[in-house]
Amino acid sequence: MNPLPNLKSLRARKARIGSEITPAIRKVLRLLAILILAAAAYCFYAGIPRIGYLAIAFADVIVVLLLWYTYHLQKLPPSLPAKQLEDIIDPALLGKLKAPVTPQRLWDVVMKLPEGQFMCDHLFLHSDTVKNNLSNAEADSAQTWQQAYGLINHARTPNLHAGTLLVALLLTSPGAQQYLTFNKLRPEDTFEALNWLERQMELWNRPKQNFGGIGRDWAKGYTPTLEQFGQNISQSVQYAGGFRHYVAHADMLDGIVSNLARGASVALIAPDGGGKSTLVRALAERLLQGKNRELQYYQVFSLNASLILSYSGQQLESLMLTLFGEAVASGNMILFLDDAQLFFGSGTGAFDMSQILLPVLKSRNVRIIAAFEPRDWQQMQATRQALTTSFASITLTDLPQEEIYKVIEDNTMQLEQRNGVLITFEAIIEAYRLSGQYMQELAYPGKAINLLEQSIPYAQERVITRETVQAAVEKTKGVKVSVAAAPEADMLLHLEDRIHERMINQVRAVNDVAAALRRGRAGVSSPNRPVGSFLFLGPTGVGKTELARSLAAVYFGDEHQMIRLDMSEYQRPEDVTRLLSGGSKTERSLLSAIREQPFAVVLLDEVEKAHPNILNLLLQMLDEGQLTDEQGRPASFRSSIIIATSNAGAADITQHVREQGTLENFERPLIDKLIAAGQFKPELINRFDEVVLFRPLNEDELSQVAQVMLKGVNQTLAVQQLTVQLTPEALKTIVHQGYDPEFGARPMRRIIQKTVENAIAMKILRGQAQPGSVITLDVPDLTQDQNSSDANSNPPGNPPVPPQQTPPTTPQPPTPPAAPMPPQPPAGPYAG
């Protein structure tokens, strides 16, 4: 086969003629034919038949030309089996090809056709940039045509259209491939976009189905209440001319139809978003087509649960009886109960109609399709076995990725038409990826479609891109998923310095945590695990908790972005349920907290004290980045940092530092000792990204801790426009009093409260500190104010309090001298 199309072949000439007959020309020709025929009629009427016949002849030529275009040129069929390349080129494309056929000129041609524009728009390509990266040599187009021929063989389609040629141009040009790579598009993405176009072309070219017929229209009974509280799915499919969507789980339709045909009702079991409603619409189309004689003329009617449940008590029961009564009387009704658990529940907003529905199911007077989530169906089986046995259960399994993409793409076209936006293919890819990470409560393909819908308000210039989807996730889920911009990138690069503004020493711990955060934000680490997971080992008061708090403040923007659990409160087997509660039985469980704050530090204090069953759950959290609550709903930890702290081995760490002065190369021996002692299991240790040892603080580091705490005091005093500073001697005194090798920096907070904060309070109350002043405290200020506070001394002017008496709780002002009493009137009957 010639690698280049022969533009002088008969089919090519026909295609060029067809391309020249534009819609405007066809409109003019039709109008001209009508006018000529009108003129011919007038000629016959006026008695000049020769001119009339001549006019008819001209009109016939125009009509023949229009018919030739309509039935031949417009749909110029491919010549199969193909002997030459031009035999399989789409006529719209072939008609626009002109010599010389260079890659750049081919790009201009495909951009004039709707298939090429579809591909360019949805791949989000800049047309001029791609063209500039293409060759302008005719010899280079042979490789493009060869690639295009291979694509149609792979797709098993007999037609080489503009979309196929566009992909071939992209794949055969090194410059275009670099452009694709720069825009994070793979060759596989162009193939999938081409498949998307092929499916859409099939839908565009499919004629509307006619499901009509007098018998079908008359078969429906009188159902006014059903029409008020539901939607006729069959009618909506009929008006649309068919269900124009890719139908996942199409193999399940035979089973559904078989059960309905013998009078049984069906329970469709799948998570939200799993395709239950789509399958029911496909069923409605199948019944309209009349392929199953047993269900001929049957209508599928969906009940509106929220509207029905707005009624209460006996009104609701009466309404349900009326609805079922109309369905039975119609004789051709299939009721669809979406969110069926609302009709069988006992909680808020639900109504248990088991007693009403059970006789209906047993008698098989009306067919029902009920959609359940797996956990609701399991609960039904446990509590209402008689009811569930009346249904034929059909479980919809998880779809493979290629089928999920097909469903998303079909729904994307609807979203575009309904909202007047363009949704790029990269947005579909990103919606699939991010919905899998951050929308575990839903199933594919529904959650990806849901995320695309949420992205519409964030569209830029009516275009939804990868960045648009990322912005939607960040706004709605409170997580960071986009590439770090310049300010954030700078913060990540200097994260250690930012943390050390709050955190004293522990350089290795800070470095390890900062490195994990950089890996996570740069997209290097696994997206299916937490951003970072660490086990902090060390004595009390050395900064383990402070590092977690610093991370929340510096990286997550607020130190309240931290979920803290004291694992000593989870020492019993039943505490597993409390930890995994979905929030209905406890005020705030771990899973309810992470759903509220998915972008946070999760701090598990004293993890070694937790029950072994809880430690096993921790393995799953670190491995898979998620936990499942008691109702089967997953909660994601993939945007969080997991920090477990423990005092295990604290004595060994302190002794080793005392003897060696450093913890270098001590990590492995300590871990082996803790595992041998049974304090930690090796599988748990191995799940953490890093096991970090914290060494005890010395007096120099404690001095730095004191200065950091003084910054906190000054932040509090800033409201009163006051500042406090210590002399070097005063600082040494505080450090000496607060130094405790066993408790680290913990006593320092109490010492600052008893000395510095107490001294400032006394000066403020005495009027010795005015707004705008700097309070300098020396050793006598600290000891004097502390002693005076301890002795509960009174202000000047009051007599000293005897030791055996209890001093007043607040200073009292001096008692003024008594004023002379005015003269009293004599007592009498009117006195007082």
Side-chain angles (χ1 to χ4, degrees):
M1 181 182 292
N2 192 330
L4 294 174
N6 180 8
L7 301 184
K8 295 181 180 180
S9 66
L10 177 61
R11 189 169 188 272
R13 292 198 298 269
K14 288 181 179 180
R16 276 196 296 277
I17 294 172
S19 66
E20 295 296 335
I21 305 177
T22 63
I25 292 177
R26 294 197 300 272
K27 185 176 181 181
V28 170
L29 289 176
R30 283 193 293 267
L31 180 61
L32 185 60
I34 293 172
L35 292 176
I36 292 174
L37 288 175
Y42 177 78
C43 290
F44 284 115
Y45 177 76
I48 43 178
R50 290 185 179 181
I51 298 178
Y53 286 124
L54 184 62
I56 290 176
F58 278 116
D60 286 345
V61 171
I62 296 174
V63 171
V64 169
L65 179 61
L66 290 173
L67 292 174
W68 185 43
Y69 173 82
T70 302
Y71 293 102
H72 188 74
L73 297 181
Q74 185 181 20
K75 300 178 181 179
L76 196 61
S79 301
L80 298 176
K83 298 179 180 179
Q84 299 296 330
L85 190 60
E86 63 270 13
D87 292 342
I88 54 173
I89 298 178
D90 183 75
L93 173 61
L94 184 60
K96 293 187 179 298
L97 295 178
K98 295 179 181 179
V101 184
T102 68
Q104 283 195 359
R105 296 194 68 176
L106 288 177
W107 183 263
D108 289 333
V109 170
V110 299
M111 284 294 96
K112 295 176 182 177
L113 297 171
E115 298 88 354
Q117 196 63 53
F118 177 96
M119 293 292 293
C120 186
D121 289 344
H122 288 89
L123 287 173
F124 204 47
L125 306 175
H126 190 274
S127 177
D128 292 340
T129 303
V130 176
K131 179 181 176 180
N132 294 334
N133 280 291
L134 298 176
S135 169
N136 202 26
E138 187 173 11
D140 293 336
S141 62
Q143 184 183 5
T144 300
W145 288 112
Q146 185 177 3
Q147 177 72 54
Y149 185 74
L151 287 172
I152 65 168
N153 284 337
H154 177 74
R156 298 179 181 177
T157 58
N159 209 3
L160 196 162
H161 51 72
T164 311
L165 187 57
L166 180 142
V167 174
L169 286 166
L170 294 175
L171 297 180
T172 54
S173 168
Q177 290 182 44
Q178 291 179 3
Y179 176 75
L180 290 177
T181 303
F182 179 78
N183 287 278
K184 300 180 181 179
L185 286 172
R186 305 166 302 165
E188 295 87 346
D189 298 331
T190 62
F191 298 153
E192 179 55 39
L194 181 59
N195 291 333
W196 180 14
L197 171 63
E198 295 281 0
R199 287 195 304 277
Q200 293 307 311
M201 290 176 63
E202 181 183 353
L203 293 176
W204 294 338
N205 298 326
R206 181 192 300 174
K208 282 192 174 183
Q209 299 184 63
N210 181 13
F211 305 109
I214 297 177
R216 183 183 304 282
D217 296 335
W218 285 357
K220 179 184 173 185
Y222 184 60
T223 55
T225 311
L226 277 172
E227 292 172 5
Q228 180 183 355
F229 291 92
Q231 177 196 9
N232 192 325
I233 295 178
S234 298
Q235 193 175 70
S236 62
V237 171
Q238 182 176 358
Y239 288 163
F243 185 58
R244 297 173 179 269
H245 282 277
Y246 176 79
V247 181
H249 303 297
D251 55 327
M252 301 288 187
L253 282 175
D254 290 336
I256 295 174
V257 170
S258 175
N259 283 291
L260 294 174
R262 56 186 179 83
S265 292
V266 174
L268 288 181
I269 305 164
D272 279 347
K276 301 184 291 292
S277 299
T278 301
L279 193 60
V280 170
R281 291 184 175 275
L283 170 67
E285 180 187 49
R286 177 164 172 169
L287 298 184
L288 285 169
Q289 292 169 343
K291 295 180 179 179
N292 300 94
R293 301 290 300 178
E294 302 88 346
L295 299 174
Q296 194 170 18
Y297 304 142
Y298 267 73
Q299 310 271 324
V300 181
F301 220 100
S302 174
L303 295 183
N304 188 326
S306 59
L307 187 60
I308 292 172
L309 296 176
S310 62
Y311 285 73
S312 61
Q314 293 183 348
Q315 275 188 321
L316 180 57
E317 185 174 344
S318 175
L319 174 62
M320 294 306 302
L321 290 172
T322 302
L323 291 172
F324 285 125
E326 287 185 358
V328 171
S330 69
N332 69 333
M333 193 67 66
I334 299 173
L335 295 182
F336 175 48
L337 306 181
D338 202 0
D339 294 324
Q341 66 273 8
L342 295 176
F343 293 101
F344 302 102
S346 56
T348 304
F351 170 66
D352 188 0
M353 66 172 189
S354 304
Q355 300 303 318
I356 300 175
L357 185 58
L358 191 57
V360 175
L361 294 174
K362 294 293 186 183
S363 64
R364 299 194 173 187
N365 288 327
V366 63
R367 295 164 173 85
I368 293 174
I369 301 176
F372 291 95
E373 290 189 44
R375 63 176 182 271
D376 296 316
W377 178 249
Q378 291 171 4
Q379 186 177 3
M380 283 269 295
Q381 287 179 314
T383 58
R384 299 175 178 86
Q385 188 176 5
L387 188 65
T388 55
T389 53
S390 302
F391 285 101
S393 62
I394 296 178
T395 301
L396 306 187
T397 56
D398 294 337
L399 293 172
Q401 181 176 336
E402 57 271 18
E403 291 201 40
I404 294 173
Y405 268 101
K406 291 177 182 178
V407 178
I408 298 172
E409 289 160 0
D410 282 0
N411 281 271
T412 294
M413 302 307 297
Q414 279 194 339
L415 292 176
E416 288 185 341
Q417 295 172 4
R418 192 162 57 238
N419 299 281
V421 295
L422 170 68
I423 301 176
T424 63
F425 188 71
E426 66 176 24
I428 294 176
I429 297 173
E430 195 71 353
Y432 175 85
R433 182 179 73 87
L434 294 180
S435 63
Q437 291 186 37
Y438 301 107
M439 301 177 72
Q440 286 89 0
E441 67 277 8
L442 297 175
Y444 282 123
K447 58 183 175 183
I449 298 168
N450 185 277
L451 181 52
L452 286 175
E453 287 183 296
Q454 294 179 18
S455 303
I456 291 173
Y458 305 99
Q460 297 292 325
E461 298 181 358
R462 313 301 298 171
V463 178
I464 297 176
T465 62
R466 178 189 297 108
E467 290 74 19
T468 310
V469 177
Q470 292 171 352
V473 172
E474 292 184 350
K475 297 290 185 182
T476 58
K477 301 296 182 182
V479 299
K480 291 184 179 181
V481 296
S482 58
V483 176
E488 186 187 358
D490 183 72
M491 182 271 290
L492 287 168
L493 291 173
H494 301 90
L495 190 58
E496 291 90 340
D497 298 334
R498 297 283 300 276
I499 293 175
H500 279 306
E501 292 176 4
R502 299 171 50 106
M503 179 79 186
I504 303 304
N505 209 316
Q506 309 299 357
V507 175
R508 185 192 170 197
V510 173
N511 291 345
D512 288 342
V513 172
L517 283 175
R518 284 192 285 265
R519 291 194 301 269
R521 288 296 289 123
V524 177
S525 60
S526 170
N528 297 323
R529 301 187 66 213
V531 174
S533 57
F534 306 95
L535 175 60
F536 289 173
L537 300 177
T540 298
V542 295
K544 300 189 296 293
T545 302
E546 183 58 32
L547 178 54
R549 190 178 290 113
S550 298
L551 279 176
V554 172
Y555 182 71
F556 297 131
D558 188 341
E559 68 177 43
H560 293 99
Q561 288 292 112
M562 184 169 73
I563 302 169
R564 184 174 182 178
L565 277 75
D566 185 353
M567 302 309 289
S568 64
E569 299 178 2
Y570 296 87
Q571 299 184 15
R572 301 170 301 174
E574 56 267 27
D575 289 332
V576 173
T577 302
R578 186 159 58 94
L579 192 74
L580 296 181
S581 169
S584 57
K585 296 181 180 179
T586 59
E587 293 184 1
R588 185 176 171 86
S589 68
L590 173 60
L591 298 198
S592 61
I594 199 64
R595 285 181 178 130
E596 294 173 12
Q597 288 182 300
F599 200 54
V601 173
V602 178
L603 179 61
L604 308 175
D605 268 335
E606 299 186 279
V607 68
E608 79 281 2
K609 296 182 180 179
H611 191 273
N613 291 352
I614 292 180
L615 295 180
N616 291 335
L617 289 175
L618 187 57
L619 294 177
Q620 180 185 346
M621 181 199 302
L622 299 177
D623 237 3
E624 303 174 8
Q626 68 179 30
L627 289 176
T628 304
D629 66 17
E630 55 191 3
Q631 296 180 341
R633 297 175 302 178
S636 174
F637 291 82
R638 293 169 182 169
S639 297
S640 61
I641 299 173
I642 310 297
I643 296 178
T645 70
S646 173
N647 295 331
D652 298 287
I653 292 174
T654 302
Q655 181 180 354
H656 189 83
V657 171
R658 187 180 297 118
E659 295 175 355
Q660 305 292 331
T662 178
L663 289 174
E664 193 71 27
N665 300 323
F666 185 58
E667 177 185 302
R668 189 71 257 171
L670 178 63
I671 292 174
D672 291 340
K673 183 176 180 179
L674 295 177
I675 292 175
Q679 290 186 276
F680 289 108
K681 293 182 178 180
E683 56 267 28
L684 177 60
I685 294 289
N686 292 332
R687 292 304 195 283
F688 287 103
D689 294 337
E690 293 283 349
V691 177
V692 183
L693 306 187
F694 285 66
R695 64 178 183 79
L697 300 175
N698 55 39
E699 287 200 36
D700 290 339
E701 293 164 347
L702 203 58
S703 176
Q704 298 177 51
V705 172
Q707 294 179 54
V708 171
M709 291 182 178
L710 286 173
K711 288 182 181 179
V713 175
N714 278 323
Q715 289 177 357
T716 304
L717 291 175
V719 179
Q720 304 183 53
Q721 299 184 19
L722 294 174
T723 304
V724 63
Q725 64 181 20
L726 301 182
T727 64
E729 292 75 14
L731 182 60
K732 288 180 181 179
T733 300
I734 289 176
V735 172
H736 180 70
Q737 294 180 15
Y739 180 66
D740 188 331
E742 183 178 355
F743 294 101
R746 291 282 172 86
M748 181 59 66
R749 172 63 63 190
R750 295 192 295 271
I751 294 299
I752 288 180
Q753 288 176 341
K754 292 179 64 176
T755 57
V756 176
E757 293 182 6
N758 188 58
I760 296 170
M762 299 295 286
K763 289 183 180 296
I764 292 174
L765 293 174
R766 290 170 180 164
Q768 297 174 351
Q770 301 301 323
S773 62
V774 177
I775 304 172
T776 302
L777 300 179
D778 201 356
V779 176
D781 298 308
L782 302 178
T783 57
Q784 177 183 354
D785 288 322
Q786 183 178 1
N787 293 336
S788 63
S789 175
D790 292 340
N792 295 295
S793 59
N794 289 324
N798 272 10
V801 181
Q804 69 274 14
Q805 296 179 356
T806 302
T809 57
T810 57
Q812 300 295 325
T815 304
M821 297 294 292
Q824 298 296 319
Y830 300 102

